[in-house]
């Protein structure tokens, strides 16, 4: 939905501050779980496949919610949708303080996933609307904040759990910065006008985009790539705890992965901004993912922090670049935002299965190594399809999905 030009626009620095604050709050509810997995299992009785639902279900809802998000944005406006979604995310995080069993904990994960789904689906369109000539670097900033928040969640959750004597508090504390981000977003995000006839006529139904093979290809790539992230968030810390690492030390490993993700998510889109063809940088990101997963599978004790950082950098860079590439496909913010929402929706539905698949492979083999090989195969799959993302063919690939007047 277009923003009302009659309202005084907030200063750009304030909108950028909101981009960072919101991004920081979208991953800690996921990354805080892995380092505390052993303690949570002991406190709730969940097995590995049950623990997988703490990542699987929110990512499943992040995917399903993204399909509904364009309609929510059309009805409420992007600003109200994001504010409401942040409130849901904050409520889900706060309720973790009361989680006494696995069912309650899974329910809070579902609330958090629903909130994040709407934010992730609405925000790329807002960024393209507010920064039409700076999409790549601002999307990089947003992605870097998102990954940086993941690092904070993984690093601080074990510390707060130790200080409070409660794993529930180690998960619930993030409700406070979410509340701060909600206040900043209320102040910074531009007010949305009610859609007029022209805006409604220009609205691109999802059905038009879903008839394009390119939409499905973007979903598949985004899903396979984010599946690697989901499995690392869920199982990297337990993998090294099986190798004798402590909760705090394994949490620092997840944090190192997330810091590398943040750095690459900020750097790669900036480096790729000079040319519309992003494939060389995407290939570099995929190569780093391959090195990371191969290192975990073959030489896990040789240099754990290197494997986590290299793989994390590849995942963070690829995540940010795919968000940019989706926006590149269509010129208008509403259409580009709708395509990005669909890519994220279908992608997160696919990605949600990865932690469960990895857990099932662990149950079969007794080790996570076979799961790392599975994700190495996913990297090869994404690399083969990524090479087809020639910007010269974007218009042809989306032919028939252009907005038409009513």
């Amino acid at each position: 939905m277009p923003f009302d030009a009659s309202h005084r626009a907030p200063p750009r620095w304030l909108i950028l501050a909101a981009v960072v604050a919101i991004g920081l709050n979208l991953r800690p509810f996921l990354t805080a779980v892995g380092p505390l997995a052993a303690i949570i299992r002991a406190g709730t009785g969940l097995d590995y496949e049950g623990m997988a639902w703490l990542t699987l279900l929110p990512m499943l809802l992040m995917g399903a919610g993204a399909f509904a998000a364009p309609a929510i944005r059309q009805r409420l406006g992007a600003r109200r949708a994001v504010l409401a979604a942040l409130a849901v995310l904050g409520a889900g995080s706060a309720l973790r303080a009361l989680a006494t069993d696995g069912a309650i904990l899974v329910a809070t994960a579902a609330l958090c996933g629903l909130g994040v789904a709407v934010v992730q689906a609405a925000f790329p369109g807002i960024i393209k609307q507010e920064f039409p000539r700076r999409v790549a670097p601002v999307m990089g900033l947003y992605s870097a904040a998102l990954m940086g928040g993941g690092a904070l969640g993984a690093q601080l959750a074990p510390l707060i759990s130790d200080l409070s004597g409660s794993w529930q508090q180690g998960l619930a504390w993030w409700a406070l910065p979410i509340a701060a981000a909600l206040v900043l977003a209320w102040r910074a995000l531009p007010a949305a006008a009610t859609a007029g006839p022209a805006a409604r006529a220009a609205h691109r139904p999802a059905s038009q985009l879903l008839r394009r093979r390119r939409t499905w290809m973007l979903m598949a790539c985004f899903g396979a790539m984010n599946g690697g992230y989901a499995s690392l968030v869920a199982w990297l810390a337990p993998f090294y705890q099986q190798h004798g690492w402590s909760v705090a030390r394994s949490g620092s490993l997840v944090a190192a992965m997330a810091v590398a993700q943040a750095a690459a998510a900020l750097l790669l889109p900036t480096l790729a901004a000079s040319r519309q063809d992003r494939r060389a940088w995407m290939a570099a990101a995929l190569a780093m993912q391959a090195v990371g997963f191969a290192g975990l599978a073959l030489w896990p004790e040789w240099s754990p922090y290197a494997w986590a950082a290299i793989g994390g950098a590849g995942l963070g860079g690829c995540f940010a670049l795919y968000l940019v590439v989706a926006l590149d496909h269509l010129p208008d913010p509403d259409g580009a935002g709708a395509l990005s929402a669909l890519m994220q929706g279908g992608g997160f539905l696919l990605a949600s299965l990865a932690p469960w698949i990895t857990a099932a492979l662990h149950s079969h083999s007794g080790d996570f190594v076979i799961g790392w090989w599975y994700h190495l195969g996913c990297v090869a799959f994404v690399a083969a399809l990524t090479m087809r993302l020639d910007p010269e063919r974007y218009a042809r690939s989306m032919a028939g999905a252009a907005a038409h007047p009513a």
Side-chain angles (χ1 to χ4, degrees):
M1 179 179 295
F3 297 107
D4 187 354
S6 67
H7 287 74
R8 186 175 179 180
R12 282 291 180 265
W13 68 265
L14 191 62
I15 300 176
L16 287 173
V19 168
V20 172
I22 291 170
L24 282 171
N25 284 283
L26 299 184
R27 286 296 180 270
F29 83 98
L30 286 174
T31 59
V33 171
L36 299 176
I39 302 171
I40 294 172
R41 289 181 64 210
T44 62
L46 291 171
D47 60 12
Y48 278 113
E49 292 185 21
M51 287 292 297
W53 281 93
L54 297 177
T55 305
L56 185 158
L57 184 59
M59 294 197 76
L60 187 68
L61 291 170
M62 285 158 63
F67 286 107
I72 295 172
R73 180 184 173 188
Q74 185 73 6
R75 180 174 292 273
L76 297 180
R79 182 178 187 273
R80 289 179 182 176
V82 169
L83 294 178
L86 287 172
V88 171
L89 175 60
S93 297
L95 287 171
R96 291 184 153 185
L98 307 177
T100 55
D101 58 38
I104 295 175
L105 189 58
V106 170
T108 65
L111 274 178
C112 292
L114 284 172
V116 170
V118 175
V119 175
Q120 289 185 158
F123 225 51
I126 294 175
I127 289 172
K128 181 146 185 166
Q129 178 75 40
E130 292 300 307
F131 301 95
R133 295 180 179 85
R134 305 286 294 171
V135 168
V138 177
M139 284 303 298
L141 179 66
Y142 164 67
S143 300
L146 190 149
M147 305 301 176
L152 289 175
Q155 189 69 59
L156 295 180
L159 297 178
I160 293 173
S161 177
D162 286 343
L163 290 173
S164 65
S166 165
W167 61 263
Q168 289 94 336
Q169 295 299 325
L171 299 178
W173 71 277
W174 201 261
L176 296 177
I178 293 171
L182 177 58
V183 172
L184 180 57
W186 177 81
R187 174 67 181 85
L189 295 185
T194 302
R200 285 192 294 268
H203 178 64
R204 177 178 287 103
S207 60
Q208 289 184 327
L209 294 170
L210 289 172
R211 287 197 290 267
R212 307 268 63 80
R213 286 184 296 176
R214 177 55 54 88
T215 303
W216 292 94
M217 190 186 97
L218 291 171
M219 286 182 189
C221 291
F222 196 76
M225 179 265 298
N226 274 287
Y229 170 77
S231 284
L232 286 174
V233 163
W235 305 126
L236 182 61
F239 175 58
Y240 277 98
Q241 286 170 17
Q242 286 188 338
H243 286 256
W245 288 42
S246 67
V247 169
R249 191 183 178 200
S250 64
S252 69
L253 189 63
V254 177
M257 177 195 74
V259 168
Q261 285 180 306
L266 181 62
L267 181 62
L268 262 64
T270 301
L271 293 174
S274 60
R275 297 179 59 190
Q276 194 176 21
D277 191 342
R278 328 281 187 183
R279 286 177 292 178
W281 296 106
M282 297 170 88
L286 288 161
M288 287 189 284
Q289 291 179 47
V291 170
F293 282 119
L296 291 173
L298 294 171
W299 309 285
E301 295 286 0
W302 182 68
S303 187
Y305 283 96
W307 306 138
I310 293 169
L315 288 163
C318 207
F319 177 89
L321 287 168
Y322 257 95
L323 290 179
V324 172
V325 164
L327 295 177
D328 286 342
H329 272 73
L330 292 163
D332 62 292
D334 280 341
L339 179 60
S340 176
L342 288 173
M343 179 188 74
Q344 293 182 71
F348 281 119
L349 286 175
L350 291 173
S352 69
L353 300 175
W356 184 87
I357 291 171
T358 304
L361 292 171
H362 177 279
S363 297
H364 177 72
S365 66
D367 198 288
F368 288 107
V369 169
I370 192 171
W372 307 143
W373 284 113
Y374 160 71
H375 285 296
L376 193 60
C378 291
V379 171
F381 167 77
V382 175
L385 292 180
T386 295
M387 293 303 102
R388 300 178 62 185
L389 294 175
D390 182 354
E392 296 287 335
R393 300 182 179 180
Y394 286 172
R396 184 188 307 172
S397 70
M398 303 307 296
H404 296 289

